[in-house]
Amino acid sequence: MNRPTLLHRLLAPLGLVAALSTLPVLAQTAPPPPDYSAAERLLLMGNQLQQVRPPTTLTYRFQRSGTLEPPFEDQVGIQLTRQADGQCCAATGAFLTGERRVTLPDLEQAQGNPVTLYFLEHDIREMQRLTMGQAHYFRKRIRMALYQGAQVRDVRFSYRGQTLAGQEIVIQPYLDDPNRARFEQLARKQYVFLLSTAVPGTVVSIRTTAGPEGGSSPLIEEALWIDGATRPAYTPAASAALTRTPPVRP
């Protein structure tokens, strides 16, 4: 299998959102090909909506903080309904509100929770705005970090008064980027995805932080977490702790 072609489809340079309705991660019926990392399988390839009973709306809180720009709080909603054949789920996303709102297409078929790709689309647009870089370049770095640079670890978290088990995926796409000098302030940016099948939609939270090594406060932090969960806490990026997770091969 040609890996660049496959990942091109997952995070297409034409736009993550533009390709959502045809992505195998959101409308998959056959067993996945074997050449995937553990992080990709967890984040992009599972049936994350299998326990959802439509119609329902997955509601997330969103918060931006840090020293670079003024902070704000907002919300994200993923409305899930039955497909035309009665199966779950058709999805409509509302990512942020007002002038910050990211326009998103409706999805006729969704198995993976689209909030992840919506968040990444927002993140890539922000990276482009702040650095004047190219969106396709940031997509490529995230894509490759999930494939060969991710750390996956078991964690515990709080949800609606209960302590539950989940898995956390950590990546730093720009840490070893040969072009990091062009956006050095953001080169240590860390992405943390928290997943658990015990939570509707599987995605518990997503957090990004960018700041100086060992700094007590980030330049930029963005956090999204499902209603009922605890806001993910900021910890300075610990790049030395990251280990490479190889892809799963036959």
Side-chain angles (χ1 to χ4, degrees):
M1 174 171 291
N2 186 317
R3 268 215 64 86
T5 300
L6 172 63
L7 288 175
H8 174 90
R9 293 179 65 196
L10 288 175
L11 300 173
L14 292 178
L16 293 168
V17 169
L20 281 176
S21 61
T22 60
L23 292 180
V25 62
L26 298 179
Q28 182 175 304
T29 57
D35 191 14
Y36 290 95
S37 71
E40 287 175 298
R41 288 176 176 271
L42 283 170
L43 188 63
L44 298 174
M45 304 192 68
N47 187 350
Q48 297 175 337
L49 303 179
Q50 60 184 336
Q51 297 184 25
V52 171
R53 297 293 178 264
T56 190
T57 299
L58 303 177
T59 305
Y60 299 84
R61 297 180 63 186
F62 183 97
Q63 186 177 81
R64 181 179 179 130
S65 57
T67 60
L68 187 63
E69 295 183 333
F72 68 86
E73 295 187 19
D74 211 324
Q75 60 187 11
V76 174
I78 305 296
Q79 184 178 357
L80 301 171
T81 58
R82 294 198 178 277
Q83 299 166 196
D85 61 3
Q87 301 298 308
C88 179
C89 289
T92 300
F95 196 96
L96 308 184
T97 61
E99 62 182 13
R100 301 186 186 98
R101 180 164 181 161
V102 178
T103 302
L104 306 167
D106 294 344
L107 306 177
E108 295 182 1
Q109 294 181 318
Q111 291 186 357
N113 189 338
V115 75
T116 300
L117 296 183
Y118 292 167
F119 183 97
L120 290 175
E121 175 68 12
H122 159 80
D123 173 81
I124 288 166
R125 293 183 190 185
E126 285 297 288
M127 286 292 292
Q128 187 175 29
R129 177 180 70 86
L130 291 169
T131 69
M132 303 301 292
Q134 297 297 313
H136 68 83
Y137 185 81
F138 299 125
R139 290 191 181 99
K140 177 182 176 182
R141 296 303 303 182
I142 293 172
R143 185 168 69 223
M144 297 313 298
L146 285 170
Y147 177 54
Q148 63 184 17
Q151 180 189 46
V152 180
R153 58 197 181 198
D154 294 332
V155 296
R156 307 286 288 180
F157 66 97
S158 176
Y159 178 71
R160 300 199 183 282
Q162 295 181 296
T163 299
L164 303 175
Q167 290 181 295
E168 200 171 67
I169 300 168
V170 185
I171 59 172
Q172 287 185 263
Y174 313 112
L175 193 63
D176 57 357
D177 189 335
N179 297 307
R180 63 177 284 174
R182 299 179 182 178
F183 48 90
E184 185 61 36
Q185 280 195 112
L186 304 179
R188 295 184 62 82
K189 189 171 188 179
Q190 183 181 75
Y191 297 67
V192 182
F193 307 87
L194 175 56
L195 309 174
S196 174
T197 56
V199 170
T202 304
V203 178
V204 182
S205 64
I206 305 173
R207 184 182 80 251
T208 63
T209 56
E213 183 174 5
S216 58
S217 299
L219 289 172
I220 299 176
E221 178 180 20
E222 292 192 330
L224 173 150
W225 66 101
I226 195 167
D227 274 358
T230 303
R231 183 195 187 283
Y234 167 69
T235 54
S239 58
L242 290 181
T243 58
R244 303 299 181 185
T245 302
V248 177
R249 299 183 184 279

